[in-house]
Amino acid sequence: AQSVAQPEDQVNVAEGNPLTVKCTYSVSGNPYLFWYVQYPNRGLQFLLKYITGDNLVKGSYGFEAEFNKSQTSFHLKKPSALVSDSALYFCAVRDPKSGAGSYQLTFGKGTKLSVIP
Amino acid sequence: EPEVTQTPSHQVTQMGQEVILRCVPISNHLYFYWYRQILGQKVEFLVSFYNNEISEKSEIFDDQFSVERPDGSNFTLKIRSTKLEDSAMYFCASREGLGPSYEQYFGPGTRLTVT
């Protein structure tokens, strides 16, 4: 079965500093990986995805993520954090071998990012 | 930009009552999903729906749950007899195509409170 781990419940970073939100995954084949962000009282917004190709994926709002197959990780990064980046971040995986016709996502428990002015 | 919408934003119901949560997916999308998020916990998959039938469901999606696409636009989740543990945020999502390049778009959620 596929799974996602986000080892940090909360990450605090000063505005202007680089940020990293960690994610590791477990799937039986090559993974499809996603990052979503959830602002208070809002739904999940898609940030970026890794399907295949370049290990460094660039997404919305200046975020990027690096796929590392040997470490089974897909950490989310941003060179310079903004206060407006404060939100809940979810990593998700889709196992390409499971459930053809479905493609449901398995989510991590989320990491709360707080950017301090 | 098109978006998934959900109604109501907040539903309060008594234990044992039936509730229907409504979603309007993005108009050209073909695949539909319900997820839920119990307060403080991870987002969990409930069910996926394609071509007017369930394509996959999780262990959570028992006989108390059902989904329907009654017309060309709405996608509903019904809980027949709500339990306290059904209290959660319920998210609808839709997807244009099946291939890996298509991401899921989520609605803002319906917060269900069972008292």
Side-chain angles (χ1 to χ4, degrees), chain A residues 109, chain B residues 37-42:
Chain A
K109 61 179 173 63
Chain B
Q37 183 183 28
I38 295 172
L39 187 63
Q41 298 185 24
K42 64 174 67 176

Side-chain angles (χ1 to χ4, degrees), chain B residues 45-64:
Chain B
F45 167 75
L46 291 178
V47 65
S48 59
F49 192 86
Y50 168 69
N51 199 25
N52 285 320
E53 62 182 22
I54 291 173
S55 50
E56 199 158 350
K57 60 184 181 180
S58 72
E59 295 174 350
I60 303 168
F61 194 87
D62 61 21
D63 292 344
Q64 292 299 312

